[in-house]
Amino acid sequence: MRDCFCTINLDQEEVYRTQVVEKSLSPFFSEEFYFEIPRTFQYLSFYVYDKNVLQRDLRIGKVAIKKEDLCNHSGKETWFSLQPVDSNSEVQGKVHLELKLNELITENGTVCQQLVVHIMACHGLPLINGQSCDPYATVSLVGPSRNDQKKTKVKKKTSNPQFNEIFYFEVTRSSSYTRKSQFQVEEEDIEKLEIRIDLWNNGNLVQDIFLGEIKVPVNVLRNDSSHQAWYLLQPRDNGNKSSKTDDLGSLRLNICYTEDYVLPSEYYGPLKTLLLKSPDVQPISASAAYILGEICRDKNDAVLPLVRLLLHHDKLVPFATAVAELDLKDTQDANTIFRGNSLATRCLDEMMKIVGGHYLKVTLKPILDEICESSKSCEIDPIKLKEGDNVENNKENLRYYVDKLFSTIVKSSMSCPTVMCDTFYSLRQMATQRFPNDPHVQYSAVSSFVFLRFFAVAVVSPHTFHLRPHHPDPQTVRTLTLISKTIQTLGSWGSLSKSKSSFKETFMCEFFKMFQEEGYIIAVKKFLDEISSTETKESSGTSEPVHLKEGEMYKRAQGRTRIGKKNFKKRWFCLTSRELTYHKQPGKDAIYTIPVKNILAVEKLEESSFNKKNMFQVIHMEKPLYVQANNCVEANEWIDVLCRVSRCNQNRLSFYHPSAYLNGNWLCCLETSENALGCKPCTAGVPADIQIDIDEDRETERIYSLFTLSLLKLQKMEEACGTIAVYQGPQKEPDDYSNFVIEDSVTTFKTIQQIKSIIEKLDEPHEKYRKKRSSSAKYGSKENPIVGKTS
């Protein structure tokens, strides 16, 4: 049996990893990762590892999907066969090359041809063991009976080496030269010769590591005397070795990949206006936002951008209320209220994730930290007890945690965000009207969201809500699962007063008897009353800083003392709406604090500054803070959130230095004064009034893309409206429109017409952009490198 985990990589750069599933040959991970891709890449790769405590983790196999093929797998659940991981096939990056043919007259007066190979630079070479590599290149002229090889100098600690070295090779012998034309190589020779560039990482004392190769036939010069282009590095020829891939197993993935071109703001006005009118449309099923949810293959695709856009314009509560009312019409049993996976419940789930992050942090984090760090055993299942475990002690441990967590939750109403409170108030009112004879339904309508879909989910997976830095260990996961089960049952209104609880397991039924007391019922009722009242909660928005992001990164020492070394140290960074701090460890006191109002700019830092990738700088009143993130995705997220939170600051810089100030001068412009004005314009950002993490143009572009992808369904819905409007007789058989909710065919038809008209108008600038993009990036340029032949 193996202890397995997976990593997600852009080419060879790891951006995420799953938890370790112990002692299994069929591990089930069930983990979701959502991230922006901040740079160009060739492959999205997934590696499966066998965890090894004492030695390096063993790579079992990989799945590598080409960028061009991602759209073929998007939205589908697929089993991929694991491929063997061969160091000779682990390739990323590109090479800039120039070839020329010269004609030379030798000392004895005869003429021969000389090939000039100018290897200029490489870009995007992989990290080796998390660090930039020490690359060099070998340049070979290969033919049927020759293999002339030359070598560049080693470039230290860089993924983008500038070689700028020229090599000369004799192509034709003077004796075999016949003057067909001034610069023409003999046809027989040119067809058989090729230039091969191999990239290597210099291993010093250990073996050099292969980084990729390109092969360029010399006959590219048949019509021109020179050829210059960027080439993508390719894997090496593995000869005739065949590997049995069946032995490695398979990996099941569900990938959703989207690529959007966001146009300037003025293009999105009509679509935005139509979507923001949705809450006021009667009936709600005839609104543009609801129609989007109806026609999308996966409702989640529609929910993400829709919730963000409506939330940004304070339109989410009325929209969510209206679609929830539609849900209630179809609910026959008060016990199943809001238990489905409808557009309404998904919208509210997403809203709670976006606005409730800080609420979870102030409520749950201190107790979750205690649970994860104390490692007390709480197992109460007799079958799963370990040798020497005392079930009564475990039961007491579990009760202590449940009581502490429950007590904190029911006293936290003042921290509940206003948007959540307003939504819960509406849900409560509607549920009471729908089931007037059930006194409990007003509470179960709220508890089904706040306990079942919010607190219980965050407790069982704290890392996904950024409440813990890493995956908890298996024992802690089990403890959190038992706590989560108890908390959600405690919060489910009515289960406390029933003679039987909702647990299937006997041991949980026995444990839950401890909580079947009047005090718990009163506490839940009071809490639900408070968070679903009409009074707005000022404290959630003003008095407490909002937690935005935290994580482990490396920062360069500021060197405040003369003897202080300016090396890189691992620190725990935390950003709130008020300040950026770093700590030695999570939960410890801050070592250094930068008030957000003092941030003057946040920009990327050139790799050449410290020969490190994924670096950025926070420029503030004192010296710039230089930080290295663990990967490109993380670096991009930090830059984005820091830029947004400091966007309104006074005295923001217009120019900055893209490199560091070292040894008495700026590396970028060589200015000697540390206070010299920056040499590069600061990155232009979004307008200052846009809320953190919500870019409305981008969300509207995503909605445009979804409408475009679902045009056929939109057409069917339009036809269904026409059919309903014309045919007034009884509906005998299910037809094409039986899957759509069409309450008012005339209003729905009008909305669809508006959507189609707006989409058609938006198609034009998108088409212009696509044409411009495809024509501007010449094949062989840095943006569109040549994909050379593989061996």
Side-chain angles (χ1 to χ4, degrees):
M1 304 300 267
R2 286 172 154 171
D3 298 341
C4 299
F5 68 92
C6 295
T7 65
I8 303 173
N9 296 51
L10 290 173
D11 297 320
Q12 267 70 67
E13 185 181 3
E14 181 186 320
V15 291
Y16 285 105
R17 67 169 56 195
T18 68
Q19 64 185 328
V20 177
V21 176
E22 294 184 326
K23 298 182 177 55
S24 174
L25 293 178
S26 302
F28 182 70
F29 297 103
S30 187
E31 290 194 52
E32 224 172 75
F33 300 93
Y34 173 85
F35 60 99
E36 302 288 316
I37 297 179
R39 61 170 177 83
T40 54
F41 67 104
Q42 279 183 265
Y43 290 91
L44 180 67
S45 304
F46 302 83
Y47 291 80
V48 181
Y49 284 85
D50 182 5
K51 182 80 178 166
N52 195 317
V53 179
L54 300 174
Q55 299 170 354
R56 284 183 68 183
D57 300 328
L58 173 70
R59 290 198 282 197
I60 297 169
K62 72 170 182 179
V63 171
I65 306 167
K66 271 189 175 177
K67 182 187 174 182
E68 304 83 71
D69 298 334
L70 280 171
C71 53
N72 301 332
H73 302 291
S74 187
K76 300 172 191 169
E77 208 167 82
T78 314
W79 281 101
F80 293 89
S81 295
L82 288 175
Q83 302 301 316
V85 181
D86 173 7
S87 60
N88 290 334
S89 70
E90 299 295 281
V91 167
Q92 73 175 57
K94 47 198 167 190
V95 184
H96 196 194
L97 191 68
E98 184 181 27
L99 303 179
K100 281 184 183 175
L101 270 178
N102 287 343
E103 189 177 70
L104 295 180
I105 298 172
T106 59
E107 288 176 3
N108 59 8
T110 57
V111 181
C112 70
Q113 296 288 101
Q114 185 187 58
L115 180 66
V116 182
V117 180
H118 181 188
I119 178 164
M120 294 186 241
C122 291
H123 186 82
L125 297 178
L127 298 173
I128 305 293
N129 299 327
Q131 297 295 320
S132 292
C133 50
D134 296 338
Y136 70 89
T138 57
V139 184
S140 312
L141 180 67
V142 182
S145 57
R146 64 191 293 180
N147 188 351
D148 305 341
Q149 189 177 90
K150 300 173 194 279
K151 182 178 161 185
T152 69
K153 292 173 184 170
V154 175
K155 298 292 178 183
K156 290 285 184 185
K157 297 277 175 283
T158 176
S159 298
N160 304 315
Q162 300 288 323
F163 291 111
N164 208 21
E165 293 192 42
I166 298 173
F167 301 96
Y168 300 92
F169 296 92
E170 191 183 78
V171 178
T172 55
R173 312 284 176 193
S174 55
S175 59
S176 67
Y177 179 74
T178 56
R179 199 177 182 84
K180 289 181 181 176
S181 70
Q182 195 175 2
F183 283 105
Q184 190 175 0
V185 181
E186 283 193 339
E187 205 66 32
E188 297 79 30
D189 288 342
I190 201 166
E191 291 299 335
K192 295 170 186 174
L193 292 175
E194 66 180 10
I195 283 290
R196 197 177 83 199
I197 312 282
D198 291 87
L199 264 292
W200 298 87
N201 179 55
N202 183 37
N204 292 323
L205 301 174
V206 294
Q207 191 175 356
D208 292 354
I209 297 170
F210 175 75
L211 299 176
E213 67 174 25
I214 63 164
K215 294 179 179 180
V216 184
V218 177
N219 66 9
V220 296
L221 292 165
R222 185 185 291 163
N223 300 319
D224 295 304
S225 58
S226 74
H227 168 77
Q228 182 179 315
W230 283 88
Y231 283 85
L232 279 176
L233 285 166
Q234 298 296 325
R236 185 199 258 163
D237 181 9
N238 283 330
N240 296 319
K241 283 193 291 182
S242 62
S243 46
K244 294 180 181 177
T245 54
D246 292 347
D247 301 339
L248 300 178
S250 304
L251 182 66
R252 182 159 58 124
L253 300 168
N254 189 345
I255 301 162
C256 295
Y257 174 73
T258 58
E259 195 172 288
D260 293 327
Y261 307 120
V262 184
L263 301 169
S265 298
E266 59 265 23
Y267 288 97
Y268 297 113
L271 181 55
K272 214 182 293 177
T273 304
L274 186 65
L275 289 161
L276 295 175
K277 278 182 184 171
S278 295
D280 306 318
V281 175
Q282 294 287 341
I284 194 69
S285 59
S287 68
Y290 192 90
I291 289 168
L292 178 69
E294 280 285 277
I295 61 172
C296 276
R297 185 175 62 182
D298 184 348
K299 274 190 172 57
N300 278 343
D301 290 344
V303 164
L304 278 164
L306 203 53
V307 167
R308 287 168 171 268
L309 186 68
L310 293 171
L311 193 59
H312 182 68
H313 289 276
D314 298 324
K315 296 278 188 180
L316 184 64
V317 176
F319 177 74
T321 304
V323 289
E325 197 167 5
L326 205 58
D327 265 17
L328 279 172
K329 284 181 185 174
D330 296 331
T331 307
Q332 303 306 318
D333 183 358
N335 291 322
T336 62
I337 194 167
F338 300 127
R339 292 296 173 96
N341 223 356
S342 64
L343 182 64
T345 55
R346 289 183 193 192
C347 279
L348 292 175
D349 283 352
E350 193 56 37
M351 176 270 286
M352 291 192 295
K353 270 187 201 170
I354 295 169
V355 303
H358 178 62
Y359 180 31
L360 286 175
K361 187 176 169 65
V362 297
T363 310
L364 301 185
K365 194 175 188 322
I367 304 159
L368 290 174
D369 286 344
E370 183 188 332
I371 294 165
C372 294
E373 285 158 21
S374 66
S375 299
K376 286 182 185 174
S377 178
C378 295
E379 185 57 73
I380 56 172
D381 182 354
I383 299 166
K384 293 186 176 178
L385 284 172
K386 292 177 183 172
E387 198 175 329
D389 270 0
N390 183 317
V391 72
E392 289 306 316
N393 284 352
N394 290 2
K395 203 177 278 188
E396 277 308 308
N397 291 341
L398 186 59
R399 174 162 191 176
Y400 165 76
Y401 286 143
V402 170
D403 267 332
K404 195 167 182 181
L405 205 62
F406 176 78
S407 174
T408 309
I409 289 171
V410 295
K411 289 174 186 172
S412 70
S413 60
M414 281 306 289
S415 299
C416 187
T418 307
V419 178
M420 286 172 65
C421 293
D422 291 346
T423 309
F424 296 151
Y425 173 73
S426 299
L427 295 178
R428 183 175 175 171
Q429 298 301 107
M430 288 188 301
T432 308
Q433 287 169 12
R434 178 72 180 86
F435 299 101
N437 300 322
D438 189 332
H440 293 154
V441 76
Q442 58 174 316
Y443 296 111
S444 56
V446 178
S447 67
S448 61
F449 283 103
V450 76
F451 278 102
L452 218 65
R453 295 170 175 266
F454 187 60
F455 285 122
V457 180
V459 167
V460 85
S461 56
H463 52 283
T464 58
F465 287 84
H466 308 294
L467 298 173
R468 289 289 299 167
H470 307 295
H471 296 280
D473 60 77
Q475 181 183 310
T476 308
V477 168
R478 176 64 181 160
T479 300
L480 294 173
T481 305
L482 293 170
I483 294 168
S484 177
K485 280 183 172 188
T486 315
I487 288 292
Q488 71 182 55
T489 309
L490 271 171
S492 295
W493 179 261
S495 60
L496 293 162
S497 51
K498 291 176 186 173
S499 55
K500 285 188 178 179
S501 69
S502 57
F503 292 113
K504 294 172 186 172
E505 307 100 327
T506 313
F507 64 89
M508 282 304 292
C509 291
E510 285 299 311
F511 174 67
F512 195 70
K513 283 177 183 174
M514 294 180 174
F515 302 95
Q516 288 183 310
E517 297 170 8
E518 190 67 24
Y520 290 101
I521 299 174
I522 293 166
V524 170
K525 183 173 176 288
K526 183 173 178 288
F527 171 66
L528 296 174
D529 276 334
E530 287 168 351
I531 62 166
S532 58
S533 69
T534 52
E535 295 168 18
T536 54
K537 307 280 186 287
E538 292 300 326
S539 63
S540 64
T542 53
S543 65
E544 291 180 8
V546 180
H547 171 261
L548 299 173
K549 189 167 175 62
E550 62 182 336
E552 204 169 59
M553 293 189 288
Y554 291 86
K555 66 104 196 165
R556 185 174 184 257
Q558 301 279 50
R560 285 185 182 74
T561 58
R562 285 186 181 178
I563 55 168
K565 285 187 178 179
K566 293 188 180 181
N567 54 357
F568 281 82
K569 292 177 180 174
K570 191 185 282 188
R571 292 288 180 258
W572 185 260
F573 284 78
C574 183
L575 175 67
T576 70
S577 52
R578 286 191 193 161
E579 58 190 25
L580 173 69
T581 53
Y582 57 77
H583 318 244
K584 281 195 174 176
Q585 288 174 336
K588 301 288 182 189
D589 291 338
I591 302 173
Y592 190 63
T593 301
I594 302 172
V596 162
K597 64 182 181 183
N598 290 354
I599 295 176
L600 306 176
V602 183
E603 298 286 349
K604 288 182 180 176
L605 189 72
E606 284 181 357
E607 187 189 318
S608 56
S609 300
F610 302 104
N611 288 323
K612 290 181 185 290
K613 296 188 86 163
N614 307 318
M615 285 203 68
F616 64 92
Q617 51 183 321
V618 181
I619 305 165
H620 58 112
M621 302 296 191
E622 297 178 37
K623 288 185 178 181
L625 175 66
Y626 298 129
V627 185
Q628 184 188 25
N630 293 313
N631 56 62
C632 62
V633 171
E634 197 179 282
N636 205 54
E637 287 175 356
W638 273 102
I639 293 169
D640 188 53
V641 73
L642 279 162
C643 280
R644 287 177 183 277
V645 77
S646 61
R647 191 72 70 201
C648 304
N649 289 357
Q650 293 181 337
N651 306 320
R652 278 187 64 85
L653 298 179
S654 301
F655 290 85
Y656 77 105
H657 292 283
S659 280
Y661 184 81
L662 293 174
N663 304 323
N665 64 266
W666 291 99
L667 298 181
C668 39
C669 57
L670 304 179
E671 282 280 351
T672 52
S673 168
E674 199 168 352
N675 299 318
L677 185 70
C679 55
K680 191 174 179 182
C682 283
T683 310
V686 295
D689 61 343
I690 288 189
Q691 292 171 22
I692 290 154
D693 280 344
I694 298 179
D695 179 342
E696 56 179 338
D697 290 340
R698 194 160 128 193
E699 306 306 341
T700 315
E701 171 60 36
R702 183 87 289 270
I703 291 168
Y704 156 76
S705 297
L706 291 170
F707 273 131
T708 308
L709 287 169
S710 309
L711 273 177
L712 275 175
K713 275 198 176 178
L714 197 63
Q715 187 73 38
K716 278 192 176 181
M717 199 174 191
E718 186 183 30
E719 289 165 10
C721 289
T723 308
I724 294 167
V726 173
Y727 178 66
Q728 298 296 332
Q731 209 173 303
K732 292 176 182 175
E733 291 178 8
D735 46 34
D736 274 351
Y737 59 83
S738 60
N739 296 323
F740 299 125
V741 175
I742 302 173
E743 293 177 289
D744 182 330
S745 56
V746 176
T747 314
T748 307
F749 184 83
K750 280 180 184 172
T751 307
I752 292 171
Q753 289 283 299
Q754 287 175 294
I755 293 168
K756 284 174 71 179
S757 169
I758 289 167
I759 298 306
E760 277 172 25
K761 282 177 186 168
L762 266 172
D763 284 341
E764 290 172 24
H766 279 89
E767 193 53 42
K768 274 184 191 172
Y769 177 78
R770 272 191 281 271
K771 281 179 183 171
K772 184 184 170 186
R773 190 169 180 261
S774 58
S775 60
S776 62
K778 183 185 165 192
Y779 190 51
S781 65
K782 192 174 183 180
E783 295 74 30
N784 189 14
I786 294 169
V787 181
K789 64 173 183 176
T790 49
S791 302

